[in-house]
Amino acid sequence: MKNLHIPAISVQAYGGPEQLQLQEVPVPVPAEDQVLIKVVASGVNPIDWKIREGFMKHPLPYIPGVEASGIITAVGESVFGKKIGDEVYGSVDGSYAAYAIAQGEGLFRKPPGVSFEEAATMAGARTAWGAMFDVAGLVKGQRILIHAGAGGVGHFAVQMAYNAGAYVIATASAENLDFVTSLGANEVIDYKAAPFETQVAPVDIVFDTVGGDTTERSLAVLKPEGVLLCIVQMPDAGKVAAAGVRALWGGTKTLASMKEVHQLLDKGLIRPYVRKVFHSLSAAAEAQEYSKNGGSGRGKIVLKIADE
């Protein structure tokens, strides 16, 4: 594929969705520890539009996207355990493109019973695992409150906490109560019906995937020495100290956590839920705007790029 060009979304300047331009770019060339994949589907995550709008800095120009599923088409000489033709998913920077390169160790074989669209959403699972187990140390028997239990991270967190033997409480909108219950939650709270802090007995851990005033309101439902686990924003340190609890940043993804998540997916112990699929790269702007303004829907958003 040397000297060939492929379609990709390019961002030349920070700004609105109009900055997502469909262009022809050279096929990327993998280094010795990388693979080249034909991208079938790319996850669409809040970080994608946050970088585009300049909330997080990235060298310009760049191709958005941080995760994908696809088919390996070239393998670097120092990559082992991967071969051309493998169907894979995982961490893929620049995944809004027909082809992209990725570190070999950051990709995992897609289980046969999992679609490419589902596999492209697994970054939410890695976030949930890293936060709850690597950072907060969730163990069997603990009580955990998971905010936005139907969301892109939350629906994975509920399944994982259930599988770990925790007592799982989650917040959700009325239309998602049954869905979150089906994921394994022991209690599901309609956060619109009444303030969640009036409906929850004290918990060991609060996993805040929402931010805003939810973060500091969560301090009221923690046991002494409990953990407020944050992936959107951190609360005021003085209020944390006054509450006699701890606040920890949960935004971590390690290779070890990725392997743990893959095992759960491979065994069928967790299942991704895809909220909406946008078909073709030309729908990238629409997909990001839906991610930004799509409300409290179920699961993750996917940009379908190619047929498998």
Side-chain angles (χ1 to χ4, degrees):
M1 300 181 67
K2 189 176 181 181
N3 299 324
L4 294 181
H5 284 67
I6 56 168
I9 296 297
S10 179
V11 176
Q12 304 290 323
Y14 296 124
E18 70 281 355
Q19 298 298 336
L20 298 168
Q21 299 293 319
L22 182 60
Q23 297 183 352
E24 292 288 317
V25 301
V27 176
V29 178
E32 64 176 16
D33 59 345
Q34 296 175 328
V35 301
L36 178 69
I37 69 168
K38 173 190 174 183
V39 179
V40 174
S42 172
V44 178
N45 295 284
I47 193 174
D48 298 344
W49 57 262
K50 288 180 179 180
I51 292 175
R52 186 205 74 216
E53 292 190 351
F55 292 111
M56 305 171 71
K57 297 304 179 184
H58 193 291
L60 297 171
Y62 74 97
I63 298 171
V66 296
E67 63 171 330
S69 62
I71 302 168
I72 293 178
T73 59
V75 180
E77 60 184 23
S78 67
V79 175
F80 299 99
K82 306 287 192 308
K83 66 181 187 301
I84 293 173
D86 283 349
E87 297 179 348
V88 294
Y89 73 94
S91 299
V92 181
D93 288 334
S95 57
Y96 286 29
Y99 287 82
I101 55 174
Q103 296 298 125
E105 64 179 10
L107 293 177
F108 300 87
R109 284 191 176 86
K110 182 183 74 64
V114 176
S115 71
F116 280 98
E117 291 89 343
E118 290 171 329
T121 71
M122 290 300 292
R126 295 192 294 274
T127 297
W129 179 278
M132 293 193 302
F133 298 101
D134 293 343
V135 176
L138 177 67
V139 295
K140 182 178 180 179
Q142 285 189 309
R143 291 169 54 85
I144 182 170
L145 170 62
I146 298 169
H147 286 304
V153 173
H155 84 287
F156 286 118
V158 170
Q159 295 176 75
M160 291 175 181
Y162 166 77
N163 280 310
Y167 187 90
V168 184
I169 308 164
T171 61
S173 56
E175 60 269 27
N176 288 325
L177 298 182
D178 289 344
F179 170 66
V180 178
T181 299
S182 75
L183 300 176
N186 300 93
E187 300 178 35
V188 187
I189 295 168
D190 180 354
Y191 68 91
K192 294 181 180 178
F196 69 84
E197 59 268 38
T198 68
Q199 305 181 68
V200 182
V203 298
D204 299 286
I205 299 170
V206 175
F207 187 14
D208 176 24
T209 71
V210 176
D213 67 350
T214 295
T215 304
E216 290 186 354
R217 287 166 56 203
S218 294
L219 297 172
V221 302
L222 282 165
K223 296 178 181 179
E225 300 299 320
V227 173
L228 175 55
L229 187 59
C230 306
I231 61 169
V232 179
Q233 65 186 43
M234 291 293 285
D236 178 80
K239 293 181 180 179
V240 173
V245 300
R246 294 179 293 152
L248 301 176
W249 180 250
T252 180
K253 297 177 186 178
T254 65
L255 181 59
S257 68
M258 292 164 63
K259 291 179 178 177
E260 294 283 356
V261 167
H262 174 68
Q263 290 180 11
L264 291 174
L265 181 67
D266 207 29
K267 294 175 181 177
L269 295 175
I270 58 173
R271 186 79 189 193
Y273 188 91
V274 177
R275 184 194 321 180
K276 188 174 179 64
V277 178
F278 290 83
H279 296 272
S280 85
L281 279 169
S282 60
E286 185 182 0
Q288 285 197 4
E289 287 301 281
Y290 184 82
S291 172
K292 183 177 179 180
N293 304 309
S296 55
R298 301 178 185 181
K300 295 284 293 290
I301 302 162
V302 172
L303 187 63
K304 183 73 179 288
I305 296 172
D307 294 328
E308 50 269 28

